[in-house]
């Protein structure tokens, strides 16, 4: 899905996409893990596979050298999901390790679901990367 630069950013910031997450999608480096997390959510909405891949830590369970297969998987998830809402519940900002707990509401087919995830981010060579996440009840 293409997101208009003048539409509200999917991350929930109430800013225009072009003044928010699109800056990161076009090369600006997120300064915090929270900025990275929100920009990754927006990248899923925009089906920006390259951004998702480039911001994933090599130790992540989804990480693979089969880039085309990974892109296809992201495409299938993004294409068949209607991203409704992102809510940030907690942010633990560390120097090298940070955690973001969020609630995402996503509609897939006939299923409207929400889930809460606590995501772990690691700073590698001055850049935050998504390491892993665990679902929270």
């Amino acid at each position: 899905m293409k997101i208009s630069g003048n539409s509200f950013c999917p991350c929930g910031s109430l800013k225009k996409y072009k003044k928010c997450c699109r800056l990161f999608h076009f090369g600006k480096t997120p300064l915090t893990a929270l900025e990275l997390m929100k920009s990754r959510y927006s990248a899923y909405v925009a089906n920006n596979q390259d951004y998702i891949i480039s911001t994933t830590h090599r130790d992540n369970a989804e990480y693979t050298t089969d880039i085309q297969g990974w892109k296809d998987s992201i495409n299938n998830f993004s294409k068949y999901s209607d991203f409704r809402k992102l809510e940030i519940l907690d942010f633990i900002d560390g120097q090298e390790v940070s955690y973001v707990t969020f609630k995402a509401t996503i509609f897939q087919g006939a299923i409207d679901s929400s889930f809460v995830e606590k995501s772990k981010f690691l700073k590698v060579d001055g850049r935050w990367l998504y390491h892993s996440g665990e679902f929270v009840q």
Side-chain angles (χ1 to χ4, degrees):
M1 172 181 144
K2 193 106 166 134
I3 302 172
S4 165
N6 286 317
S7 62
F8 284 113
C9 192
C11 79
S13 67
L14 300 179
K15 296 180 190 175
K16 303 256 181 173
Y17 173 60
K18 67 183 177 185
K19 300 271 188 188
C20 196
C21 290
R22 188 171 87 169
L23 297 171
F24 303 118
H25 298 167
F26 279 78
K28 183 179 176 187
T29 301
L31 298 179
T32 66
L34 180 59
E35 285 182 338
L36 177 62
M37 190 268 136
K38 291 171 81 172
S39 65
R40 282 175 56 90
Y41 176 86
S42 293
Y44 276 107
V45 176
N47 200 0
N48 185 338
Q49 302 133 5
D50 292 329
Y51 187 77
I52 297 298
I53 290 169
S54 71
T55 58
T56 302
H57 193 279
R58 288 185 177 271
D59 291 342
N60 180 280
E62 301 289 315
Y63 192 91
T64 177
T65 54
D66 175 13
I67 301 300
Q68 190 55 54
W70 194 0
K71 284 184 176 188
D72 291 345
S73 174
I74 295 167
N75 179 56
N76 286 335
F77 176 70
S78 293
K79 189 174 168 182
Y80 297 107
S81 300
D82 180 10
F83 299 85
R84 299 279 172 95
K85 188 175 185 182
L86 174 67
E87 298 170 77
I88 304 303
L89 304 177
D90 192 30
F91 175 43
I92 301 169
D93 192 13
Q95 295 291 328
E96 304 295 324
V97 181
S98 290
Y99 296 90
V100 179
T101 304
F102 67 92
K103 179 180 179 183
T105 303
I106 301 172
F107 189 78
Q108 292 179 310
I111 301 169
D112 198 2
S113 66
S114 294
F115 64 89
V116 175
E117 179 181 310
K118 182 176 183 179
S119 296
K120 179 180 179 179
F121 297 86
L122 299 179
K123 198 175 223 182
V124 178
D125 298 327
R127 286 183 59 230
W128 286 105
L129 297 172
Y130 173 69
H131 180 271
S132 56
E134 63 182 46
F135 292 113
V136 179
Q137 296 293 353

